[in-house]
């Protein structure tokens, strides 16, 4: 056995040195390379997962907003329509009222005018009658004086 | 032939430091490890959320094995936390070690010593010390995973049972095959890379032009495959170790 070891140059000190060397290599590569690279990969994975999640959330919000936008537009349209209809209705109502008022007033004015005209006529006739009576008295007096 | 080819099973000792033999494979191991640590430092230092081309490549190299390990271990967080760095580092280290040994100018650095050329750098996995060390680590990891997940008693019960004579015999065989992995792990990697190095040396000494090119390409492929096999087998044996005994 020891002859075999000798033939291959096996030396326990060299073996131990090789084991130590390999141990150092594992430690150094783990610390300098594997650990930072793996944590970097994990970090990137998390970031991508978060990015995808965020994008999904944003998409949902967008859809929500779109839906709400549609609703708002629709309600605004109906409201506008209502307002216009109401305004039209009101306008036509007012017009009718104004026309009626005007007609009424015109009628009243016409009636007043007629009344006043009649009164004036009456008065004028009365005045005329008085005048005529006065004149006839005067004429009778004059006739009597001549006699 | 210009030079005789020197082929040894054992690694070449460059010098001794406090009685410790410094082999060219040990020197190569240290250089490769230092290169890996420095590159890891610069690659991991400023990671950005939006990656550049280099960062994307690095992320892919780490993320794919990571999700594979997680899937294989059925999302056992505690287990993945330490198995992934181990398996990943086995793969990266063995791969870099194999490819480093194939770099063309690396083999030319060295000194002349008593008429022999002593290269400073040599394919790391042609040294059984290295592959055996990795196998020991893999074996320890496999047994640890089993003991942590199942508990020492239940995990030991996979190998030593008295339910029936047959189950007892099967358990003992399992125990041996568990230990035999030490040999299969270490010699598979050692044999592949050693054979590749010898093949290239021989071909280079006969036909130094053009012919070695496809061989080098093939060795690149072998280097990758062996790294993947070592890492994947470690992972699968861990998966088997943490499986419920039946």
């Amino acid at each position: 056995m020891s002859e075999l070891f000798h033939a291959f140059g096996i030396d326990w000190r060299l073996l131990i040195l090789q084991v130590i060397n390999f141990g150092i290599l594992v430690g150094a590569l783990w610390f300098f390379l594997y650990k930072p690279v793996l944590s970097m990969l994990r970090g990137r994975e998390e970031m991508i997962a978060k990015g995808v999640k965020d994008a999904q959330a944003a998409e949902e919000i967008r859809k929500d907003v779109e839906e709400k936008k549609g609703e708002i537009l629709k309600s605004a349209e109906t409201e506008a329509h209502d307002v216009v209809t109401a305004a039209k209705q009101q306008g036509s109502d007012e017009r009718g009222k104004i026309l009626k008022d005007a007609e009424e007033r015109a009628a009243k004015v016409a009636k007043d005018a007629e009344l006043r005209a009649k009164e004036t006529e009456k008065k004028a006739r009365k005045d005329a009658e008085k005048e005529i009576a006065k004149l006839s008295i005067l004429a009778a007096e004059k006739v009597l004086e001549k006699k | 032939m210009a030079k005789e080819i020197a082929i040894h099973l054992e690694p070449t000792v460059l010098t001794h430091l406090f009685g410790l033999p410094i082999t060219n494979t040990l020197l190569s191991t240290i250089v490769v490890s230092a290169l890996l640590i420095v590159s890891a430092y610069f690659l991991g230092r400023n990671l950005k959320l939006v990656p550049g081309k280099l960062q994307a490549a690095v992320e892919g190299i780490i993320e794919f094995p990571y999700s594979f390990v997680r899937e294989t271990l059925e999302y056992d967080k505690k287990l993945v936390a330490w198995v992934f760095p181990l398996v990943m580092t086995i793969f990266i280290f063995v791969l870099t070690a194999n490819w480093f040994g194939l770099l063309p100018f690396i083999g030319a650095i060295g000194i002349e010593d008593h008429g022999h050329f002593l290269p400073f750098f040599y394919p790391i996995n042609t040294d059984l010390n290295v592959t055996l060390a990795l196998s020991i680590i893999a074996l320890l990891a496999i047994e640890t995973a089993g003991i942590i997940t199942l508990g020492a008693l239940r995990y030991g019960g996979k190998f030593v049972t008295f339910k029936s004579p047959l189950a007892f015999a099967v358990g003992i065989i399992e125990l041996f095959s568990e230990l035999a992995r030490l040999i299969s792990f270490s010699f598979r990697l050692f044999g592949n890379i050693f054979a590749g190095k010898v093949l290239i040396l021989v071909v280079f000494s006969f036909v130094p032009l053009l012919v070695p090119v496809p061989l080098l390409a093939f060795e690149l492929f072998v280097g990758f495959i062996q790294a993947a096999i070592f890492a994947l087998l470690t992972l699968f044996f861990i998966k088997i170790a943490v499986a419920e005994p039946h």
Side-chain angles (χ1 to χ4, degrees):
Chain A
M1 197 70 174
S2 73
E3 255 174 51
L4 189 69
F5 277 180
H6 187 73
F8 283 104
I10 299 288
D11 186 326
W12 62 271
R13 292 167 300 180
L14 288 177
L15 270 178
I16 289 172
L17 271 180
Q18 288 290 348
V19 170
I20 292 171
N21 177 72
F22 186 77
I24 293 171
L25 197 59
V26 171
L29 290 190
W30 177 78
F31 185 76
F32 288 133
L33 195 61
Y34 309 152
K35 201 172 77 155
V37 167
L38 288 178
S39 76
M40 155 98 250
L41 288 172
R42 211 165 297 145
R44 187 184 298 149
E45 219 164 85
E46 273 166 22
M47 186 165 270
I48 289 171
K50 191 174 168 281
V52 170
K53 221 169 126 194
D54 283 359
Q56 275 171 350
E59 176 66 16
E60 239 155 67
I61 289 172
R62 200 187 63 82
K63 265 189 197 157
D64 228 44
V65 166
E66 203 107 304
E67 227 165 74
K68 254 181 208 159
K69 190 179 127 200
E71 262 169 43
I72 289 171
L73 270 179
K74 216 171 150 193
S75 78
E77 230 164 76
T78 22
E79 211 162 291
H81 187 75
D82 284 357
V83 166
V84 169
T85 328
K88 262 189 196 160
Q89 185 65 40
Q90 208 175 338
S92 75
D93 281 3
E94 208 110 310
R95 190 165 129 246
K97 204 173 151 202
I98 289 170
L99 270 176
K100 214 172 143 198
D101 271 10
E103 256 167 40
E104 264 170 25
R105 200 168 294 165
K108 207 176 157 198
V109 166
K111 214 175 163 189
D112 276 6
E114 213 172 314
L115 269 176
R116 203 169 294 157
K118 269 187 187 158
E119 224 161 82
T120 316
E121 196 196 327
K122 230 180 179 174
K123 205 180 162 198
R125 201 172 284 167
K126 233 181 186 172
D127 282 356
E129 271 171 21
K130 260 187 196 166
E131 195 80 7
I132 291 170
K134 224 181 183 175
L135 284 177
S136 22
I137 292 172
L138 271 178
E141 267 176 13
K142 264 186 190 159
V143 171
L144 287 176
E145 267 172 24
K146 272 179 191 169
K147 271 186 189 172
Chain B
M1 248 199 296
K3 242 193 290 184
E4 64 177 291
I5 313 162
I7 296 167
H8 309 285
L9 279 178
E10 80 273 13
T12 311
V13 177
L14 294 173
T15 179
H16 286 265
L17 200 70
F18 309 114
L20 193 74
I22 304 298
T23 59
N24 52 9
T25 48
L26 181 63
L27 189 61
S28 307
T29 304
I30 291 166
V31 169
V32 164
S33 306
L35 278 176
L36 281 177
I37 292 172
V38 170
S39 338
Y41 173 73
F42 283 109
L43 286 173
R45 194 175 51 158
N46 63 68
L47 294 168
K48 294 181 184 69
L49 205 58
V50 182
K53 271 184 190 159
L54 182 66
Q55 192 188 324
V58 172
E59 280 173 12
I61 288 169
I62 291 177
E63 194 188 11
F64 174 67
Y66 182 67
S67 54
F68 183 74
V69 170
R70 274 209 312 173
E71 236 167 79
T72 308
L73 298 180
E74 283 152 19
Y75 303 97
D76 185 336
K77 265 190 189 161
K78 262 159 95 187
L79 205 56
V80 171
W82 66 267
V83 169
F84 169 70
L86 183 84
V87 170
M88 187 76 208
T89 310
I90 287 177
F91 176 71
I92 289 181
F93 176 66
V94 175
L95 181 71
T96 323
N98 291 344
W99 285 1
F100 176 79
L102 290 172
L103 287 176
F105 49 87
I106 285 296
I109 306 168
I111 43 164
E112 206 69 42
D113 179 55
H114 304 297
H116 289 292
F117 177 69
L118 287 185
F120 282 168
F121 303 110
Y122 208 68
I124 295 168
N125 290 317
T126 59
D127 182 355
L128 195 61
N129 282 307
V130 181
T131 60
L132 193 57
L134 287 175
S135 309
I136 290 169
I137 290 167
L139 194 74
L140 286 178
I142 292 163
E143 307 311 320
T144 311
I147 291 169
I148 289 178
T149 312
L150 298 178
L153 271 180
R154 278 214 301 154
Y155 183 65
K158 276 185 174 183
F159 305 109
V160 185
T161 54
F162 300 103
K163 276 187 215 152
S164 71
L166 185 67
F168 180 76
V170 169
I172 296 300
I173 292 170
E174 290 268 337
L175 189 61
F176 272 108
S177 72
E178 202 81 4
L179 291 174
R181 278 179 200 157
L182 210 54
I183 296 164
S184 65
F185 257 129
S186 56
F187 274 92
R188 183 185 305 112
L189 183 55
F190 169 77
N192 271 285
I193 305 305
F194 189 83
K197 182 64 188 172
V198 170
L199 186 67
I200 284 173
L201 274 179
V202 170
V203 170
F204 257 110
S205 73
F206 282 118
V207 196
L209 280 174
L210 289 175
V211 179
V213 174
L215 280 174
L216 282 170
F218 181 65
E219 285 310 315
L220 275 178
F221 174 68
V222 169
F224 172 79
I225 288 294
Q226 287 306 318
I229 285 176
F230 206 111
L232 285 177
L233 280 182
T234 309
L235 178 63
F236 293 150
F237 286 145
I238 286 175
K239 185 181 167 62
I240 292 171
V242 300
E244 289 290 326
H246 39 257

